Structure formats: C-alpha cells, structure tokens
Amino acid sequence: MTYKILVTGGAGYIGSHTTLALLEAGYEVVVLDNLCNSSPESLLRVARICGKAPLFIQGDIRDHALLDELFISQRISAVLHFAGLKSVGESVRKPLDYYDNNVAGSVTLCQAMAHAGVFNLVFSSSATVYGEPTQMPIREDFPTGVPTNPYGRSKLMVEDLLQDLAKSDPRWSIALLRYFNPVGAHQSGLIGEDPNGLPNNLLPYVSQVAIGKLKQLSVFGADYPTLDGTGVRDYIHVQDLADGHLSALRTILQKTGVNIWNLGTGIGYSVLEMIRAFEQASGRAVPYKLVERRPGDIAECWADPTKAANELDWKAKRGLPEMMADTWRWQAANPQGYGR
Ligand code: NAD
Ligand code: UD1
C-alpha cells in the first residue's frame, strides 16, 4: 500500500529534504506551505533530483476550511508537521506571531486531523525544550527546562498539548522529534538552507562569510567552560535528519501514544572546530572575531542518540567533513539561495 503523507512546511529547509526522502522511498506527498519563509523553487528542485513531484498546496495551517477540504480531497495517512516560525530573536520581538503560528497553528492542524480521522503525527521539536541541562549527553527522560524565549516556549507548549491530546484519545500516534543542530544540504547542491536576511545560525553565517557576502563571523563567547572556550553543539546533517523522519514515520504507523526521540549524532563540536572544518572543506578563509556571549545561549548541548538507535533503527551516518562539504557546495552553487 502506498501511504500519502501531508508535509506541512515542506518547502522549507528540513521539510524539502524530508519531502525528497519520502518521494525517493515511494511515498506520495502533499506539501502544505504558506511560503512565508521559503520558495516554491525548493520543490521544483526536489522534482529535478528525484523525477517525482509532491502535490503542492500554498496555504496556511491556521486555515480551518482549507485543512478540512484538504483532508477530504486527499487520503492522508500521516502528517509530518514542520510548519512554523523559528527565529529566536524575532520571537522575542513578535511573541504573538510565534504563539499564533506555532501553537494555534498546531491546534488547528490537530483539530482538522481528528475531524478527518488521521491520527499519525510527527512533530518538529527542538533540543531547546531541555533548557540548560546539567549533564551531557542529553537523554529524552531528562526534565524539560525553561526555554528562555517565546520560540522555545512555543515548542514546549506544542509538545505538552500533543501529550494531552494523546491522553485524551488512544488513537493518536505522535512522535516528538527533538532536533539538535541541523546543518548541511543535499549532496546534489540543488537544495539547502536559504535564510531570509541575516542568518541567526552558525553554519549559514559561516558559509556567507566564506562566499564573501558577509565580512566576518562574530564568535559569541570564548569564556565558556568548554575545550576552547566556545560553545559546543551537536550538528546533524539534514539528510540524516530526513532519514530519521522516515524511521519515525514507519515506527508510529505501527504503534500509538506519544514517543520522544532525540535526533542528534551524540558528538559535540565547538564553534572554533566548526570554523576550521569549514575552512578545510571550502578552501576559503573564514575571518572571525571573539565577542560577548549571546544572551540565552548555553555552553554545550549534545544528544544521547541511543533511544532513537534502539527504537527507530536509525543513526546519523554523516560526519563533519560531509556536513561542511555539502553546505559549501550548496552555498557556492547558489550564492543568492533560491533567489527569493
Ligand atoms: P523553515 O523556515 O525553512 O521551514 C518552515 C516552513 O514552514 C517554511 O517553508 C514556511 O514557509 C512554512 N510555514 C511557516 N508558518 C506556516 C504556516 N502558518 N502555514 C504553512 N506554512 C508555514 O524552517 P526549518 O529549519 O526547515 O524548520 C522546520 C521545523 O523544524 C520548524 O518547526 C522548526 O521550528 C523546527 N526546528 C528547526 C531547527 C533548525 O535549526 N532548523 C531546529 C529545531 C527545530
Ligand atoms: C539556536 C537557537 C535554538 C534553535 C536552534 C536551531 C538561540 C539562543 N538558540 O540554537 O533555539 O532551536 O538555533 O535553529 O538562538 N554562534 C556564533 N556566531 C554566530 C552564530 C552562532 O558564535 O553568528 C555560536 C552560538 O553561540 C552557539 C553555536 O554557534 O554556540 C550554534 O549557534 P546556532 O546555530 O545559533 O544554534 P543554537 O544556539 O544551538
């Protein structure tokens, strides 16, 4: 049987790579995206890579009528829910936008799913829900923390409401996937991350410095209690993340309840290690200066990926050189991203 999967936010960075992986694995895919942070070009590129296209519906997850109509016209088996806003700084300036998009949008989506009798959901959560853990690596049974910004709180709120939902109705099967730091691009160089304006995240910033669009990187804090004083994170290749979604999807189609999985590699790298690795992969210099810590940042954060390995039969396979080479290939071939 061919499953048809609804991918919300499927034109975005992680959604487009996962849409590609789904199509390559033989799923039918419907993408719902309002294009507030993406371009339809990403889906044209997906079709170029695999020779198959998802059905694309431009629309908003907060649109009740559109969702009802979508679930009536399409026989959806499961939803991969990526749609949402993700900029931490913007969430502090515009909290209502974040609660409306991320929280109210998820409520509307779940209402429409329940109405249509679709109970399989994979949600894009984040390691940010752990707050500032006292111990590394981070396991799924660690208590959730107090996120320092509305974006993080919106992710935790959706996790909590999905837990409540599953308790209220045993038909739900929900995966909460807590991503660590997604980086990289498809090896074709055709799809990748296309940040709008000044990048907030490390790797997009580094690659725009390497290509000459930005002058130098500011390294936020060199006085952390880490190996070289800079922040340590668990960077995971977006292709590994996409594969993790397929494993989670296969798993939740066979069970019910809520399952939480970390999607990380289990290895932490410092900012300076990332800069050196990127310079090696690109052959370009990445000038940087050490500056004050960024408010809200933690010193270190990496996953214990054992639970996902045991229960999903999934492991991140791609190492740092591949993450860097693929990021650079995408950046060098698409200096203006998708040209939005
Ligand atoms: P992205 O911005 O590239 O993709 C999100 C997509 O959702 C975009 O295409 C956007 O147009 C769409 N969208 C936003 N609001 C919508 C709405 N109301 N209706 C329909 N479409 C809407 O972001 P991404 O990096 O691919 O992240 C995907 C998901 O993963 C997000 O929920 C994000 O919070 C989560 N996440 C991302 C990271 C990361 O570092 N990229 C880390 C942890 C969690
Ligand atoms: C950030 C968000 C987090 C979100 C995640 C993925 C904050 C406080 N946290 O996490 O909520 O889930 O992105 O989208 O924004 N760095 C620099 N210079 C830069 C950019 C980053 O030194 O210009 C450093 C940071 O201090 C950190 C590391 O690089 O040590 C990674 O930063 P980033 O890519 O922004 O990810 P997180 O801070 O882990």
Side-chain angles (χ1 to χ4, degrees):
M1 161 177 176
T2 313
Y3 290 110
K4 193 182 278 188
I5 311 299
L6 173 63
V7 181
T8 73
Y13 172 45
I14 305 169
S16 58
H17 288 79
T18 307
T19 293
L20 172 62
L22 286 166
L23 291 168
E24 284 177 331
Y27 292 95
E28 284 183 54
V29 181
V30 178
V31 166
L32 174 67
D33 199 305
N34 66 4
L35 302 180
C36 70
N37 195 36
S38 54
S39 158
E41 176 67 18
S42 64
L43 297 176
L44 299 177
R45 305 262 185 110
V46 163
R48 230 166 101 189
I49 296 168
C50 71
K52 291 185 234 177
L55 172 66
F56 174 55
I57 299 172
Q58 183 171 348
D60 200 295
I61 53 165
R62 292 164 296 181
D63 185 338
H64 286 263
L66 172 77
L67 286 176
D68 284 342
E69 157 63 23
L70 189 159
F71 281 109
I72 288 169
S73 61
Q74 307 291 327
R75 287 189 159 275
I76 301 292
S77 303
V79 178
L80 302 193
H81 177 31
F82 296 96
L85 302 178
K86 64 163 182 177
S87 163
V88 170
E90 186 185 58
S91 79
V92 175
R93 292 191 304 277
K94 301 178 179 174
L96 294 181
D97 286 2
Y98 276 68
Y99 293 121
D100 186 32
N101 240 285
N102 296 4
V103 183
S106 299
V107 170
T108 305
L109 175 67
C110 290
Q111 284 169 333
M113 289 176 67
H115 187 62
V118 179
F119 293 102
N120 298 306
L121 175 68
V122 177
F123 174 61
S124 298
S125 189
S126 164
T128 196
V129 301
Y130 292 113
E132 196 160 3
T134 48
Q135 213 187 316
M136 292 294 146
I138 301 172
R139 283 198 321 266
E140 291 85 345
D141 60 356
F142 282 19
T144 51
V146 184
T148 52
N149 55 73
Y151 166 73
R153 279 192 283 278
S154 76
K155 288 286 158 190
L156 197 49
M157 284 180 191
V158 177
E159 283 207 4
D160 288 344
L161 79 83
L162 293 175
Q163 294 273 11
D164 289 340
L165 187 59
K167 273 184 217 135
S168 75
D169 185 335
R171 288 174 296 179
W172 282 95
S173 183
I174 296 172
L176 306 179
L177 300 185
R178 292 177 177 164
Y179 310 159
F180 281 66
N181 289 61
V183 296
H186 188 261
Q187 65 271 16
S188 63
L190 283 169
I191 56 172
E193 187 168 10
D194 181 18
N196 205 355
L198 202 62
N200 302 307
N201 296 118
L202 179 64
L203 251 245
Y205 207 105
V206 164
S207 52
Q208 292 197 12
V209 170
I211 198 94
K213 271 176 84 175
L214 296 170
K215 231 170 102 210
Q216 71 176 356
L217 172 77
S218 294
V219 175
F220 297 141
D223 57 350
Y224 285 109
T226 58
L227 75 166
D228 59 19
T230 65
V232 169
R233 297 289 185 276
D234 183 337
Y235 298 92
I236 174 168
H237 197 297
V238 66
Q239 292 285 116
D240 280 325
L241 207 56
D243 292 343
H245 284 77
L246 265 64
S247 300
L249 173 63
R250 279 192 290 270
T251 307
I252 66 156
L253 286 170
Q254 308 302 326
K255 60 195 312 178
T256 55
V258 176
N259 286 276
I260 302 177
W261 291 295
N262 284 341
L263 295 185
T265 64
I267 304 169
Y269 290 106
S270 74
V271 176
L272 295 182
E273 286 177 315
M274 294 295 283
I275 295 172
R276 276 193 293 275
F278 194 87
E279 288 182 329
Q280 259 180 11
S282 65
R284 298 278 180 106
V286 177
Y288 67 88
K289 62 171 187 251
L290 305 176
V291 302
E292 291 294 294
R293 294 179 180 191
R294 180 172 64 180
D297 270 3
I298 57 176
E300 53 183 18
C301 171
W302 70 90
D304 183 337
T306 311
K307 185 168 184 273
N310 291 342
E311 297 177 4
L312 300 180
D313 192 23
W314 167 89
K315 256 192 189 134
K317 294 197 283 264
R318 296 157 177 92
L320 202 55
E322 204 170 339
M323 296 182 210
M324 298 304 185
D326 290 341
T327 302
W328 177 240
R329 189 178 306 106
W330 154 254
Q331 178 69 66
N334 306 271
Q336 306 307 329
Y338 294 115
R340 277 191 278 155

